[in-house]
Amino acid sequence: LVQQYLWRRTEEKSGVKYESFRDKKTTDAEGRSRTAYPPKYLEALEKVAADAFLAMRGRKAQDFVEYFSGTICSVPQFLPEADYLMVSDALLTDPDTVKTLAMLAVSANSKA
């Protein structure tokens, strides 16, 4: 959920669609082939991720649930019904764990 949110908001903020560069490759120092992300896209990704991380960090319980539902879930999410039910149950019964995991997900996806 978090990754989809970051990707979609980054595309909106940067004006660069992933499809426009996904097949462009570069080689890193270890000789591995990597996607060549445009600088504008990377800057937008870092900004979107930082904003999301700070917004989550400053919220407690119900405020976090409302933020998560209204922000992270504001982009189309393609999950099976059982997964939606699991997420909603976790938000209602253990929002602090969801918050911790969501913050970890933001951090893990903040760099390309």
Side-chain angles (χ1 to χ4, degrees):
L1 295 171
V2 169
Q3 187 180 61
Q4 283 298 316
Y5 171 78
L6 294 175
W7 288 354
R8 290 184 186 269
R9 288 293 179 243
T10 297
E11 286 184 346
E12 290 173 10
K13 189 169 189 72
S14 69
V16 178
K17 297 285 185 190
Y18 179 76
E19 290 79 28
S20 72
F21 63 84
R22 78 172 173 202
D23 295 327
K24 295 179 184 174
K25 302 293 181 188
T26 187
T27 305
D28 67 13
E30 289 82 32
R32 295 178 296 208
S33 180
R34 305 250 183 204
T35 300
Y37 289 85
K40 186 176 182 179
Y41 186 91
L42 292 175
E43 290 170 18
L45 175 59
E46 289 178 19
K47 174 77 169 120
V48 170
D51 290 348
F53 186 90
L54 294 173
M56 288 181 198
R57 185 180 73 178
R59 288 179 163 77
K60 303 266 188 234
Q62 188 60 33
D63 286 341
F64 170 76
V65 172
E66 290 172 10
Y67 171 81
F68 190 92
S69 300
T71 304
I72 303 301
C73 297
S74 68
V75 301
Q77 301 286 355
F78 304 102
L79 291 177
E81 182 180 354
D83 291 351
Y84 271 116
L85 293 173
M86 179 181 62
V87 170
S88 64
D89 182 58
L91 282 168
L92 295 173
T93 60
D94 196 3
D96 289 337
T97 298
V98 176
K99 177 181 168 181
T100 300
L101 294 172
M103 290 172 64
L104 285 170
V106 169
S107 181
N109 288 280
S110 65
K111 299 273 186 197

